[in-house]
Amino acid sequence: FLRLASAHPEQGNTNGAQAARTVAQVMAATDLPLIVVGPDVADKDNEVIPAVAEAARGQRLALGTVTDKNYRTIVATALASGHVVVAQAPMDMNLSKQLNILCCDMGLPKDSLIMDPTTGALGYGMEYAVSVFERLRLAGLQGDTMTAMPILCHAGYEAWRQKEARATEGVPATWGDPELRALLWEQMTAITLLQAGAEVVVLRHPRSMEVVRGAIDQLMAH
């Protein structure tokens, strides 16, 4: 998962050509499936993602982030270059479904769309995210083709930006070891949302990768 943070107008404002070079370097270094998203500024996403899509034509990347403000540009460029899109809606089942419909109405195949309903970390809105994930997944299982796409979850980003994962001073002793606490925050967020219906989980720490993979293996064994 590669976020083109340096393209943000306030964090470097790099252009499409620079984004394409960065993605080319990452593709040369790994043969793993790759998700590439812009800086989450609609106008800037519309600049850098088409450049990335063209540079990686035929590689079937997952490109984002598609929202109701910029879906036309990114969906069109994904269609032209053979990529998948990541469609992000603000933690609401109906808004997620509506965005999926808008993307598919442009001719995007259903198997070229990943849903990102957004999420919160443990203690920061995760309970509401669970209800949204469950409703989307249950609707898909009941035959609603516009909610049956895979769900992506940013467990790592959400967990590591919370104080429980970062604070080392001025917190109660009962909070325990800060490194272990941070790992648990990421792992619990991810495992909970996997059980709610997520299929793709973006993590940050290698130890969390090991724990979450183990949890997936246990779930699939049954």
Side-chain angles (χ1 to χ4, degrees):
F1 182 92
L2 174 62
R3 183 179 298 280
L4 299 168
S6 66
H8 193 287
E10 297 177 1
Q11 297 179 33
N13 202 31
T14 53
N15 59 28
Q18 291 167 298
R21 286 196 296 271
T22 297
V23 172
Q25 290 171 346
V26 173
M27 288 193 299
T30 179
D31 58 359
L32 295 174
L34 185 60
I35 302 171
V36 180
V37 302
D40 280 343
V41 177
D43 290 343
K44 199 66 183 183
D45 288 351
N46 285 350
E47 175 190 342
V48 299
I49 294 302
V52 168
E54 181 58 31
R57 179 180 289 270
Q59 295 297 314
R60 198 156 173 79
L61 307 183
L63 301 175
T65 303
V66 170
T67 68
D68 59 352
K69 297 178 181 178
N70 68 355
Y71 73 92
R72 292 181 179 87
T73 298
I74 297 182
V75 169
T77 198
L79 282 169
S81 303
H83 299 299
V84 176
V85 302
V86 179
Q88 185 181 83
M91 213 182 290
D92 182 281
M93 175 185 172
N94 293 325
L95 292 178
S96 287
K97 179 177 177 178
Q98 181 60 35
L99 182 56
N100 295 345
I101 292 171
L102 291 172
C103 292
C104 292
D105 282 351
M106 289 187 62
L108 185 74
K110 295 184 182 70
D111 65 357
S112 293
L113 195 154
I114 298 171
M115 294 186 290
D116 176 5
T118 65
T119 185
L122 176 65
Y124 291 86
M126 186 181 70
E127 294 83 357
Y128 189 74
V130 164
S131 70
V132 173
F133 281 35
E134 287 181 335
R135 290 173 64 205
L136 284 168
R137 188 48 59 239
L138 289 171
L141 290 170
Q142 291 169 1
D144 185 344
T145 61
M146 284 300 163
T147 60
M149 295 79 171
I151 297 175
L152 181 146
C153 165
H154 293 282
Y157 170 78
E158 291 295 336
W160 282 95
R161 72 193 188 102
Q162 308 306 338
K163 66 180 181 180
E164 286 84 356
R166 301 169 66 178
T168 58
E169 299 179 358
V171 297
T174 52
W175 282 27
D177 177 67
E179 181 178 357
L180 176 60
R181 183 197 330 136
L183 290 169
L184 290 173
W185 224 260
E186 180 175 33
Q187 293 159 14
M188 288 301 299
T189 299
I191 292 170
T192 300
L193 291 167
L194 278 168
Q195 294 184 73
E199 279 91 8
V200 183
V201 178
V202 183
L203 300 170
R204 290 197 168 184
H205 201 288
R207 285 173 59 190
S208 291
M209 293 278 289
E210 295 173 5
V211 171
V212 173
R213 279 176 173 160
I216 291 171
D217 290 342
Q218 291 182 38
L219 286 169
M220 298 306 293
H222 298 288

